[in-house]
Amino acid sequence: MKQRLVLLVIFFTFTLIVPIHSEPNPPYDIRFRVSVNNVPFPTETNPYYLSHILEMRIFRHLKLDLSPSEIESMVDFMITHASKDYPNQIYLPGFEKDADLIIGFRYIEKEGGELLFLVVTNFNVETNKIDTSDFQKQLATICHVKSNRFVYFEDLYSDKKEAEYKEEGKLLSLANLYLMDEDPNNDHLVEPLLDKILKDETKHPLEKFYAFLTKGQHALIQRNFVVAEDIKSKSSTYLTSLKGEDKERAEYILKLFSKELETMKVFQKTNNKLFKV
C-alpha cells in the first residue's frame, strides 16, 4: 500500500510540464502535457490492447464516450511519450464545473527488468468526482508490458487459471485467457474453443453471443477487418434469441466492439506506426 501511495503522489506533484497540443476535439477538449525532462521509452506494441484496457478500466468508469479518433490520439500519445523517468498527462479541461480531469501515466520498471504501465486519474471512485484527498481511492489501472502487448494484471497467464477453466468447462474464460494474456503463442487455441461453444446447443444464447464477438475481437487483434465486419453484421442473428437484461448486456458489448473496430480502422487510416507492429 505504501508503494502505491508513493506512485500516486508522483503523478500529481510534478509541475514542470509543457502543453504540446491544445486542439479542441468535440465533444471533448483533450489536451496533452509532456514533462520538460521527458525521455520517452520506445515500445513496440499492438495498440488494440492498451485501447481496450483504457476503454474498459478507465473511460467507462468516467462515463467518457470518446470517439475512435479521440481514443487513437490518446493511445498514440501515451505510447509515444510514456517514460520510465517522468510521468506525463492527458487532461480534459472543464470535465467538472470547476475541475479538470487529469490522466497521468508512466512506466515503472521493477527489479529484474519487469515493465509495468501505470495509469492514474484524479477521479475518486468513492465520491465519483474529481477529488485527490485520498490517493488510495483514485481511479487507476496497471498493466504489464510483455511480448508487444499491454496486459491487464488480472489477464496474465497462469497454469492455475488454465487448469481451473479446463476442469470446470469454462471454455469462454479459457479463450479469453489465451487471447488477452502476454503469450502470443497460445492465440491459435482461441478459435477452436469459441467454435466449440457456438456448436454446443446446450450453451446459453448469451454465452454464444459473447463467443461470437470474441471471434471478432480476435480478428481485430489480427487486423482482419473483413472478418470483424462480417461478425458485426451477423451478430444480429444472436441478438434475436436474447431478451430483457441479457439483450441489454449483449447490445452494450456489441456497441463496445463496434467502437473498437472503428478505432482500429483509425489507426490504419492515419497510417499510425503502431498499426504496423
Side-chain angles (χ1 to χ4, degrees), residues 61 63 95-96 123-131:
H61 292 281
K63 298 181 180 179
F95 179 77
E96 291 180 357
F123 186 85
N124 187 300
V125 295
E126 187 173 88
T127 61
N128 283 316
K129 64 180 182 179
I130 303 298
D131 176 6

Side-chain angles (χ1 to χ4, degrees), residues 2-3 6 15-16 20-22 45 53 76 118 132 135 137 140 153 175 198 222 227 245 256 261 277:
K2 182 177 180 182
Q3 181 183 22
V6 171
T15 56
L16 295 178
I20 66 169
H21 182 63
S22 182
T45 180
I53 290 170
D76 178 73
L118 182 65
T132 57
F135 286 115
K137 293 183 173 63
F153 73 97
L198 294 172
Q222 295 177 321
V227 170
E245 292 184 359
L256 290 177
L261 171 57
V277 176

Side-chain angles (χ1 to χ4, degrees), residues 221-238:
I221 291 171
Q222 295 177 321
R223 302 182 179 89
N224 192 336
F225 296 152
V226 174
V227 170
E229 285 283 7
D230 186 54
I231 287 173
K232 177 185 173 182
S233 64
K234 292 179 178 178
S235 62
S236 57
T237 303
Y238 292 87

